[in-house]
Amino acid sequence: MIYHPCPNDHGQAVELTHPSNPSPQATWPIPSAVATVVPQGELPIALNGTTFEDWAEVPRTTHDWEQLAARRSIDEPPFNVPPHLKAAAGVVVEESDGRFWLVAPSNRFGGYSVTFPKGTVEQGVSLQATALREAWEESGLQVELTGYLLDAERSKSYTRYYRARRIGGSPAAMGWESQAVHLVPKAQLVHYLTNKNDLPLLKALS
């Protein structure tokens, strides 16, 4: 049996029933290649001039995440959540070489083999702070929001997605909710984002 190195929110071990496989190290610097890392897997020292290293000063409280989000002002339209859905926020992180960062939810949670980081907005937490936190928790990446992308209705949530860029962190430090992180060329996103709920994102990025 293979377990995720990080326990879940209840301190329990997470068994990975169908573990993902990492890609060869040589794939990382090739813009046309898909690169994959698993929890605590090996990575190059840096990619496109930005190093891979654990985020040393991760915000620990809601206030800290809100302060981080407030450092940049992102213009966005009003967010009106349908009454039958939960508010959520997600992030589409584009690498400087044109590839996109995707996460593989552990054990295909929610029916997703691969998707973009996102999560439910907790009471009193802003959309932008939620997006930053989910990016780190699910992909291990420190990101900076660069703009509004779209709002999308999903199976249980109404999700606001932001565009973002990587400024630090390490995908090998992904939390227990992800069993792999992929860096995927734009032309191949259609082969990875196969859940119907991700179709609006594919259209927006095309």
Side-chain angles (χ1 to χ4, degrees):
M1 293 184 290
I2 295 179
Y3 291 89
H4 199 293
C6 300
N8 65 18
D9 293 340
H10 303 289
Q12 301 168 327
V14 178
E15 181 183 356
L16 301 177
T17 55
H18 298 284
S20 301
N21 295 315
S23 62
Q25 289 291 294
T27 60
W28 285 95
I30 304 174
S32 61
V34 174
T36 300
V37 64
V38 296
Q40 296 185 358
E42 294 185 0
L43 288 166
I45 295 174
L47 181 66
N48 301 315
T50 302
T51 57
F52 286 132
E53 56 185 353
D54 289 356
W55 190 358
E57 299 180 354
V58 178
R60 300 300 180 188
T61 66
T62 296
H63 176 71
D64 292 340
W65 284 109
E66 293 293 351
Q67 282 195 316
L68 180 62
R71 292 180 186 176
R72 282 184 64 86
S73 178
I74 302 296
D75 292 331
E76 55 185 323
F79 186 62
N80 300 309
V81 184
H84 63 289
L85 296 173
K86 296 180 178 179
V91 63
V92 174
V93 185
E94 185 173 1
E95 186 66 17
S96 61
D97 61 18
R99 287 181 287 182
F100 290 84
W101 291 95
L102 307 178
V103 296
S106 295
N107 302 318
R108 294 178 57 90
F109 182 80
Y112 295 90
S113 57
V114 179
T115 190
F116 288 108
K118 81 164 188 71
T120 302
V121 176
E122 298 176 358
Q123 186 173 5
V125 182
S126 69
L127 290 162
Q128 294 182 25
T130 298
L132 293 171
R133 185 192 64 203
E134 293 299 326
W136 176 72
E137 289 181 351
E138 296 187 5
S139 72
L141 299 179
Q142 179 185 3
V143 305
E144 180 179 79
L145 303 183
T146 59
Y148 164 79
L149 180 60
L150 58 76
D151 297 334
E153 182 171 331
R154 303 177 75 84
S155 55
K156 296 181 179 180
S157 71
Y158 191 68
T159 303
R160 169 148 296 180
Y161 282 94
Y162 298 93
R163 289 184 178 272
R165 66 185 186 94
R166 175 177 69 96
I167 60 173
S170 169
M174 69 192 83
W176 68 270
E177 293 176 295
S178 303
Q179 66 179 54
V181 176
H182 306 286
L183 187 57
V184 180
K186 184 176 181 180
Q188 296 191 48
L189 288 176
V190 66
H191 303 301
Y192 283 80
L193 300 174
T194 56
N195 190 292
K196 62 181 178 62
N197 291 327
D198 283 329
L199 288 178
L201 290 161
L202 276 174
K203 291 180 180 178
L205 296 173
S206 63

